Amino acid sequence: MATVTAPAPGRRRRTPLARREARWAYLFLAPWIVGFLVFYAGPMIASLWLSFTEYDVINPPEYTGLDNYRELMSDPAVARSLGNTVYYAALHVPLVMLISLGLALLLKRVGRLQGFFRTVFYLPVMTPAVAVGILFLLLLNTQDGLINRALGLVGIDGPSWTTDPGWVMPGIILMSLWSLGSTVIIYLAALQNVPRDLYEAAAIDGAGAWARFRSVTLPMISGALFFTLIVNTIASLQMFTEVYTMYFGNRETQNTFNSDAATFYVIHLFQEAFQFLHMGFASAMAWLLFVIILIITLIQVKLSNRFVYYEGEDK
Amino acid sequence: MSRTVRVTAFAGVLTLALSGCGGVGGGSDAGGGTATKGALSTMGFGFSDEIASTRVDAFKRDHPDVDLKVTEGSFDEQQFLSAVASGNPPDLVYMDRKLIGTYAKRGSIQPLTDCVKKQGINLEQYRPAARAQVTLDGTVYGIPEFSTVRVVYLNEGLLKKAGMTADQVNLADWAALPGLNAKLATVSGGRLSRIGIDPKIPEFLPMWAKANGVDMLSADGRTAKLDDPKVIEALTTGVNLIQQQGGWGRFKSFRDTFDFFGAQNPLSKSQIVAWPMEEWFLNQAAKNSPDAELVVKPFVDRQGKPLTQSAGQAWVITKGARNPDAACAFVKQMTATDTWMAAAKARADARKSAGQPFTGVYTANAEADKRIFDELYQPTGNKRFDDAVATIRSVQDAAFAMPASPAGAEFDKAYYDAVNRVLAGQAQPAQALQRAQQEATAALDKAAK
């Protein structure tokens, strides 16, 4: 009987073909690698250095040690903007996931017209963010906005969405739901990949609709859920364009809206950098946001080990 | 730190936070340096109308060897700073005068002392308020263009319906303002359908404060006086007028629906009775609502003396300008009396051919204005508009301006935020302005270092 000895790990010599393939792979990867180094890694390292300096873009930076980070910790405007951003993310992400999942489940049941509705749900994603901001400024107008008019039809006196500090954030969250089409499409794709025989087996075992959803659907699309959780969390912590357009886009809006309620972290960062010329401080803010996103993502990844099912994985 | 590292670092901040950054682009290597030769680039300016294009054409005609490149669009701080950081700034920037103090303090724009001397620019021809806005610590950093002033517009048709005349509207008597406002505004069922008096805060708070006898910022632009009792009184007065009309939410949302630039403007739609506003609305009213029962009066202080706040744009030459001599020649010509005359004539001709009245051009050059109105302006025959023009002209000399400040943007934000907090019901005027005073003082102290 012939015996086959497996090559020791790490000692396997690559064939000329494999080496040639690797060279080609690196060649094809080169544009991305160069782009990453020049446009991401390099600037990130440089901005890390800048975060330890007083820098106004115009004059050379002056090293100030940890001063910017100390100021970050004691600046109430930073805390306020961070609080607004976390508040937004905490409501926006679950809402987007829940509504998108609901819509995807409905879409899956639609027969022939699924393609049409899929396009309809995705179309808002194609709308430029600036246009969305302006559109919602009109829709949320207290006296003449469509939303308050609709509320008025059912006897509800709509709130001052854009001027009452307590309603500014709900208004922004409402606006953010406009473009959940991407998440819907991802969920729909995941739902369509769930093997039909699993549902059949569950049904034979007597599982009802809810049990099938909880025990079959959710585990099978947990990978997609996890992906959208990460992506939407990062995006919501970096919220900028729509809100900037609504509340800070021109002098009129900048002057007459309540910046306490609408200042998101990245908007405050932008103001520090480009309006007040505190680029060193803004760099420190950027790095703080980076660290926060990193920690949140790591926690989510850690938790995903318990809740996310990947096919072919031993669990 | 080398320029390359700084540029890279600058890009890093954006990369971390979000993407997207504009650049001025199109850097010229033509250099130049002689008075009227070589490439010349501008930022923040555009050919929006005949006033702009006529003056640029005049410069091109008189300086055929200058290759002028106008990057059209409003001034954008991000675009400007990107250009500065990349070592490729435009020669000239057209910016709001209130920004000049900040950029001058940081050294990104040049003192114009040599330029003024070399080109023989007569600074005395510019209005004092405009001059003050482009001067920091006694050094001139910009050449002012237009002079935008604020006057009070009244819809006399609505006043008549309320049993009043325009003469009876007395903004000097602050104690009587609530009564007047209640008479003019229309609020029913919590819905505002006509504004009585719009105090235009926070933007016009400095003018209300000045009317009450106090400057919100010291003449050297370094000391905030936001918690002065007279500022607090001015803010309280303005806020009360808004609260009377259904509160800020209703008031602002109603005002946000106004279109000041079209035939459906709030004057023609009878949506507002008395409001202070910049003088440019007169042009719009003449064009879109020539039959409106409009009366224009000066804003007044509490003693009834005319008062207005002046603002506008200015030309500055950047620190790294490659062709400062041509830039200097350009700013001189763009703001010279003869050039303004040519532009005003083009405007008058355009209005005439469109069958619309010419209501004048209001510049920061007092000499130019005098010539425009003495030699070019013809009364329209519509007494309302002719009186309005006279009023606007008369207040130009009563104008004050917010002084140049090394932390102008932070100062503005501090008091805007304070007013918005009060309007939103988050704070009382005194409390909000005390906080604003602290914020503004901290920013001014930091900028002064």
Side-chain angles (χ1 to χ4, degrees):
Chain A
M1 186 180 172
T3 55
V4 177
T5 308
R11 285 191 178 181
R12 189 171 54 187
R13 280 179 62 96
R14 286 198 293 180
T15 64
L17 177 65
R19 282 202 298 274
R20 201 163 57 244
E21 280 181 348
R23 274 201 300 275
W24 277 106
Y26 283 122
L27 190 68
F28 283 118
L29 282 170
W32 182 87
I33 291 170
V34 171
F36 175 78
L37 291 175
V38 172
F39 296 113
Y40 286 84
M44 280 176 74
I45 292 165
S47 80
L48 180 62
W49 153 246
L50 267 192
S51 72
F52 298 107
T53 68
E54 172 76 39
Y55 179 46
D56 63 5
V57 184
I58 296 156
N59 298 294
E62 284 175 35
Y63 180 72
T64 53
L66 291 170
D67 282 2
N68 286 331
Y69 289 95
R70 279 192 207 100
E71 202 179 326
L72 263 185
M73 298 305 155
S74 60
D75 187 346
V78 171
R80 203 164 44 240
S81 64
L82 193 57
N84 286 341
T85 308
V86 171
Y87 171 22
Y88 168 77
L91 282 177
H92 164 80
V93 176
L95 274 175
V96 163
M97 292 179 69
L98 278 172
I99 296 171
S100 298
L101 184 56
L103 290 172
L105 286 166
L106 284 176
L107 269 180
K108 193 177 167 241
R109 288 169 168 266
V110 176
R112 279 183 165 186
L113 288 174
Q114 195 191 79
F116 170 75
F117 283 112
R118 209 164 48 202
T119 309
V120 168
F121 281 120
Y122 196 76
L123 268 180
V125 181
M126 308 300 286
T127 316
V130 171
V132 174
I134 292 168
L135 174 73
F136 270 83
L137 211 48
L138 298 174
L139 291 176
L140 294 170
N141 184 289
T142 307
Q143 281 209 160
D144 296 305
L146 204 61
I147 292 170
N148 275 5
R149 279 178 182 241
L151 290 173
L153 291 177
V154 290
I156 297 172
D157 187 21
S160 297
W161 295 98
T162 55
T163 50
D164 182 338
W167 281 100
V168 166
M169 195 56 76
I172 292 170
I173 291 165
L174 199 63
M175 174 194 65
S176 72
L177 301 178
W178 168 260
S179 48
L180 43 68
S182 304
T183 311
V184 174
I185 299 299
I186 290 168
Y187 289 166
L188 182 63
L191 286 170
Q192 284 172 336
N193 277 338
V194 179
R196 187 180 284 269
D197 52 357
L198 290 180
Y199 289 115
E200 289 167 358
I204 289 166
D205 287 344
W210 170 245
R212 286 198 301 273
F213 175 73
R214 193 169 58 85
S215 304
V216 178
T217 308
L218 276 183
M220 292 305 290
I221 66 165
S222 57
L225 291 173
F226 175 62
F227 172 74
T228 55
L229 173 70
I230 297 265
V231 169
N232 283 323
T233 303
I234 292 173
S236 58
L237 291 173
Q238 293 180 327
M239 177 62 154
F240 179 81
T241 312
E242 292 94 332
V243 179
Y244 192 83
T245 306
M246 284 176 81
Y247 294 102
F248 305 91
N250 61 46
R251 195 181 293 171
E252 169 67 16
T253 56
Q254 206 163 52
N255 296 347
T256 55
F257 280 114
N258 189 293
S259 65
D260 286 351
T263 304
F264 278 58
Y265 190 83
V266 178
I267 290 173
H268 186 49
L269 186 159
F270 183 84
Q271 289 175 327
E272 287 289 348
F274 296 106
Q275 284 178 359
F276 310 146
L277 310 183
H278 302 151
M279 194 60 75
F281 185 73
S283 299
M285 284 188 72
W287 273 94
L288 177 64
L289 181 63
F290 178 74
V291 170
I292 289 170
I293 290 175
L294 189 67
I295 290 170
I296 291 175
T297 307
L298 286 175
I299 292 170
Q300 288 173 336
V301 170
K302 190 80 184 158
L303 289 175
S304 79
N305 293 335
R306 291 178 59 191
F307 298 112
V308 179
Y309 169 72
Y310 293 106
E311 278 184 273
E313 189 182 44
D314 285 334
K315 278 229 165 180
Chain B
M1 199 182 203
S2 75
R3 179 192 293 168
T4 311
V5 174
R6 276 190 283 143
V7 172
T8 311
F10 173 75
V13 177
L14 298 181
T15 305
L16 277 170
L18 68 166
S19 62
C21 116
V24 67
S28 163
D29 57 358
T34 56
T36 54
K37 280 183 184 171
L40 182 66
S41 57
T42 79
M43 180 189 279
F45 188 73
F47 300 104
S48 53
D49 54 20
E50 61 280 341
I51 299 285
S53 55
T54 303
R55 290 180 298 143
V56 171
D57 289 346
F59 176 79
K60 284 180 175 170
R61 187 191 59 229
D62 294 350
H63 301 86
D65 294 333
V66 174
D67 178 18
L68 178 66
K69 184 187 174 194
V70 176
T71 302
E72 288 199 66
S74 303
F75 174 71
D76 181 283
E77 288 140 325
Q78 189 183 353
Q79 187 186 26
F80 175 57
L81 292 174
S82 301
V84 171
S86 64
N88 185 29
D91 297 290
L92 287 155
V93 179
Y94 186 65
M95 64 167 69
D96 195 319
R97 293 203 280 269
K98 69 181 184 177
L99 297 173
I100 286 179
T102 303
Y103 288 118
K105 175 71 184 170
R106 309 270 177 177
S108 60
I109 57 178
Q110 294 188 17
L112 298 184
T113 318
D114 288 346
C115 163
V116 167
K117 202 171 160 187
K118 254 191 220 173
Q119 289 286 342
I121 298 174
N122 174 20
L123 290 175
E124 295 302 313
Q125 68 188 326
Y126 304 112
R127 297 185 183 282
R131 261 197 336 253
Q133 278 198 300
V134 297
T135 307
L136 185 72
D137 298 334
T139 304
V140 173
Y141 285 90
I143 299 295
E145 269 227 345
F146 290 97
S147 175
T148 303
V149 291
R150 296 158 177 187
V151 286
V152 179
Y153 294 87
L154 300 169
N155 185 329
E156 201 175 36
L158 295 176
L159 285 172
K160 280 180 197 161
K161 280 185 186 166
M164 294 181 68
T165 65
D167 289 339
Q168 289 173 297
V169 176
N170 179 15
L171 295 186
D173 185 0
W174 288 14
L177 288 181
L180 178 64
N181 194 33
K183 207 169 174 183
L184 301 178
T186 307
V187 187
S188 62
R191 188 176 172 83
L192 176 65
S193 55
R194 179 177 298 152
I195 290 175
I197 302 171
D198 180 0
K200 284 282 280 181
I201 53 172
E203 303 100 304
F204 287 12
L205 181 63
M207 192 162 78
W208 285 95
K210 184 80 172 177
N212 207 18
V214 64
D215 290 304
M216 284 169 38
L217 185 61
S218 63
D220 64 0
R222 284 180 157 78
T223 309
K225 296 186 225 167
L226 294 173
D227 57 353
D228 188 292
K230 289 183 173 178
V231 181
I232 296 169
E233 188 185 12
L235 175 57
T236 306
T237 302
V239 169
N240 286 344
L241 291 175
I242 290 171
Q243 297 302 350
Q244 252 190 313
Q245 300 178 75
W248 182 230
R250 300 276 166 197
F251 186 90
K252 179 169 165 48
S253 60
F254 179 55
R255 200 176 64 182
D256 282 349
T257 62
F258 291 0
D259 171 17
F260 283 100
F261 297 93
Q264 297 297 304
N265 60 64
L267 176 67
S268 67
K269 288 180 79 178
S270 298
Q271 290 173 313
I272 188 166
V273 187
W275 72 106
M277 194 173 180
E278 291 83 357
E279 96 287 328
W280 56 256
F281 179 66
L282 185 67
N283 272 327
Q284 293 298 321
K287 197 163 75 174
N288 300 310
S289 310
D291 300 324
E293 293 184 76
L294 178 69
V295 172
V296 175
K297 290 176 69 172
F299 189 81
V300 288
D301 65 14
R302 296 192 72 176
Q303 285 71 49
K305 206 173 139 201
L307 169 73
T308 190
Q309 185 175 346
S310 161
Q313 309 288 110
W315 285 102
V316 299
I317 302 178
T318 59
K319 188 76 172 282
R322 292 190 171 93
N323 199 350
D325 291 337
C328 188
F330 181 84
V331 298
K332 181 186 180 185
Q333 183 147 10
M334 288 293 280
T335 60
T337 303
D338 288 344
T339 322
W340 278 122
M341 275 294 285
K345 185 167 185 325
R347 162 69 57 86
D349 291 346
R351 286 290 158 88
K352 196 175 173 185
S353 61
Q356 292 166 348
F358 170 61
T359 53
V361 176
Y362 304 93
T363 78
N365 181 333
E367 265 182 34
D369 279 13
K370 188 170 183 318
R371 277 194 59 196
I372 290 167
F373 284 95
D374 286 354
E375 301 171 25
L376 203 57
Y377 171 75
Q378 296 291 325
T380 61
N382 180 333
K383 190 173 180 317
R384 291 182 181 281
F385 285 95
D386 294 340
D387 289 350
V389 169
T391 300
I392 291 168
R393 286 202 67 199
S394 72
V395 299
Q396 287 279 3
D397 293 329
F400 77 100
M402 293 300 282
S405 167
E410 288 106 318
F411 176 82
D412 284 354
K413 186 174 190 307
Y415 84 77
Y416 286 144
D417 282 353
V419 177
N420 285 317
R421 281 175 195 129
V422 178
L423 289 170
Q426 290 174 298
Q428 291 301 310
Q431 182 194 5
L433 286 168
Q434 276 154 11
R435 179 173 160 185
Q437 173 71 14
Q438 289 168 3
E439 290 168 353
T441 302
L444 290 165
D445 290 349
K446 193 172 177 183
K449 283 178 188 167

